[in-house]
Amino acid sequence: MSEGSKGSSLAFGQVVIGPPGSGKTTYCHGMQEFLGRIGRKVTVVNLDPANEAMPYQCAVDIAELITLPDVMENLKLGPNGGLIYCMEYLEANCDWLQEKLAAFRGHYYLFDCPGQVELYTHHDALKNVFAQLAKWNFRLAAVHLVDSHYCTDPGKFISVLCTSLSTMLHVELPHVNILSKMDLIEQYGKLAFNLDYYTEVLDLSYLVDHLASDPFFRNYRRLNEKLVEVIEDYSLVSFVPLNVQDKESMRQVMQAVDKANGYSFGDQEQRSLEALMSAAVGADFHFTSTLAVQERYVQSQDKAVEEEVMDL
C-alpha cells in the first residue's frame, strides 16, 4: 500500500460523514453486519476522537493516536477546536494510519468520521486525509447522513440542502446523501409534500411558497429563492432513504455506494445477497422503495387522524 504505487491492489470503502446525531455510528454498525452476512470482509475504522461507545467491532481506532479529552485538557481547547486539532494531527501522522490499514489488505473499509460539520465544508484536514487514501489506491465514496426529521421543517430542509451541496463540493469524493432514521419520520410531524419530493429534491419553488406562508420566513423570501437557485443550478443533491433495521433499505444504500465508488462483487456475494434478501433486485428499486416508505408514512398519518376522530 505504498504511496503512489500503481501496482498495489485497489481497496474500496465508505467515508461516513454527517452532523452530530445523524446516525453515523449506528450506520457503520448496521452496514458492517449487513455486508458481513453476504460474505464481504469489513474493517471499521474509527476516525472520531470523541467516539467512546462503539457498538461495532473496531479494527483501527484513532484513540490509539490521539483523543479529544486529552487535547481539550492539555491544550485548553473547546470541543470544536479540539476536534480540528485532532484532525490536523491525524493529517500530520498519516503514516500511522497507513501502517494500521496495511494489516487488513483485501478488506472493505468503513471510516466512521467526526460529526463537526465544519470539517467537511471549510476545513481541509480530513479532505487531505481522504486525498492521501486515494494515493494509496483506496476507492472511497462519501456517505453523508442527514436526519430525516429536517424534512418536516422547510426552512431546515433548505439549510440541509445547502450543507449537503457545500460538503459535496469540498470533500471531492463520489457522494451518496442519506436521509437516515426513516423509521421514525412519522414521529416528527406531517410532511408538506410526498417523500419523493425530498429524496429527489424536485422543484424547490414549492418549498419557497410553503415557507412564505410563515410570517417569520415571509420577510426572507428573496434570500430563500436565491439559496434554492444555487442548489438547483448545481443539480447535484438527492437523497436515498434509510432505515438501518430494514434489509431492503440497507441493500438500496449498498447498491448506491457500490455504484459510486465502482465496487464490483463476485458471484458468491451475489448469491449470498439473494439468499439474504430472498427476493430479486428490481430495476426500479429506488423508486419502489421510496414509495414503500411513503406508503407506511401515509398509513401512520391516516391512523392518527382516525384516532382523533374516534376521540371526538
Side-chain angles (χ1 to χ4, degrees):
M1 206 187 295
S2 60
E3 182 174 348
S5 175
K6 295 183 179 179
S8 59
S9 59
L10 293 177
F12 293 88
Q14 307 176 23
V15 172
V16 184
I17 61 179
S22 57
K24 298 183 295 298
T25 298
T26 301
Y27 170 85
C28 288
H29 185 208
M31 187 58 71
Q32 180 187 44
E33 290 188 345
F34 184 84
L35 295 178
R37 292 180 66 181
I38 63 174
R40 197 177 298 188
K41 295 180 180 179
V42 181
T43 293
V44 182
V45 180
N46 175 45
L47 295 184
D48 185 356
N51 199 352
E52 297 178 348
M54 293 172 288
Y56 49 73
Q57 295 179 357
C58 182
V60 180
D61 190 354
I62 193 176
E64 299 176 20
L65 178 69
I66 191 170
T67 65
L68 181 60
D70 289 343
V71 170
M72 292 174 62
E73 180 180 353
N74 295 327
L75 300 181
K76 308 304 178 184
L77 294 173
N80 291 337
L83 269 174
I84 290 176
Y85 180 89
C86 289
M87 294 302 102
E88 291 176 345
Y89 191 82
L90 174 63
E91 179 189 3
N93 293 274
C94 272
D95 54 338
W96 171 86
L97 183 61
Q98 182 180 16
E99 181 181 346
K100 290 292 183 179
L101 296 177
F104 302 95
R105 293 178 184 272
H107 286 214
Y108 186 91
Y109 299 84
L110 297 175
F111 293 88
D112 189 1
C113 297
Q116 189 177 359
V117 175
E118 292 85 350
L119 292 172
Y120 314 113
T121 58
H122 299 86
H123 202 259
D124 287 334
L126 263 182
K127 172 185 174 181
N128 293 337
V129 171
F130 299 156
Q132 187 63 56
L133 287 168
K135 292 179 181 179
W136 299 334
N137 279 337
F138 277 76
R139 297 296 178 262
L140 302 173
V143 178
H144 184 212
L145 271 67
V146 174
D147 198 316
S148 60
H149 86 266
Y150 290 117
C151 294
T152 60
D153 187 319
K156 290 181 179 179
F157 187 66
I158 290 178
S159 298
V160 162
L161 293 175
C162 292
T163 302
S164 298
L165 178 59
S166 179
T167 301
M168 295 175 76
L169 297 176
H170 184 74
V171 172
E172 297 180 350
L173 285 175
H175 217 87
V176 178
N177 291 305
I178 304 291
L179 279 178
S180 62
K181 306 179 184 178
M182 290 304 300
D183 52 319
L184 303 176
I185 191 171
E186 66 270 10
Q187 300 178 15
Y188 297 137
K190 188 174 182 180
L191 299 179
F193 306 99
N194 286 339
L195 186 61
D196 58 348
Y197 177 88
Y198 300 92
T199 57
E200 301 300 330
V201 189
L202 302 176
D203 189 350
L204 295 177
S205 62
Y206 293 107
L207 207 60
V208 175
D209 292 338
H210 187 74
L211 270 175
S213 62
D214 188 315
F216 176 80
F217 288 106
R218 189 176 301 139
N219 298 326
Y220 301 97
R221 183 183 180 97
R222 287 288 295 161
L223 173 61
N224 289 322
E225 286 176 347
K226 293 302 179 182
L227 290 174
V228 162
E229 285 179 12
V230 171
I231 296 165
E232 292 185 330
D233 286 347
Y234 277 94
S235 190
L236 290 175
V237 184
S238 62
F239 294 94
V240 180
L242 171 67
N243 173 7
V244 174
Q245 299 177 350
D246 181 58
K247 289 187 294 185
E248 290 191 354
S249 181
M250 291 293 285
R251 179 177 67 174
Q252 174 192 1
V253 172
M254 181 198 72
Q255 291 174 333
V257 175
D258 286 350
K259 182 178 180 180
N261 64 13
Y263 181 86
S264 178
F265 52 79
D267 292 339
Q268 180 58 47
E269 185 170 320
Q270 178 63 33
R271 286 193 294 269
S272 299
L273 177 61
E274 290 175 353
L276 175 63
M277 302 304 301
S278 300
V281 179
D284 200 16
F285 180 76
H286 171 67
F287 180 68
T288 56
S289 176
T290 304
L291 282 181
V293 175
Q294 174 67 24
E295 183 178 355
R296 288 195 293 269
Y297 173 79
V298 172
Q299 287 175 348
S300 66
Q301 291 293 316
D302 291 343
K303 183 177 180 180
V305 172
E306 290 176 1
E307 290 177 350
E308 289 180 3
V309 172
M310 292 292 291
D311 292 339
L312 294 175

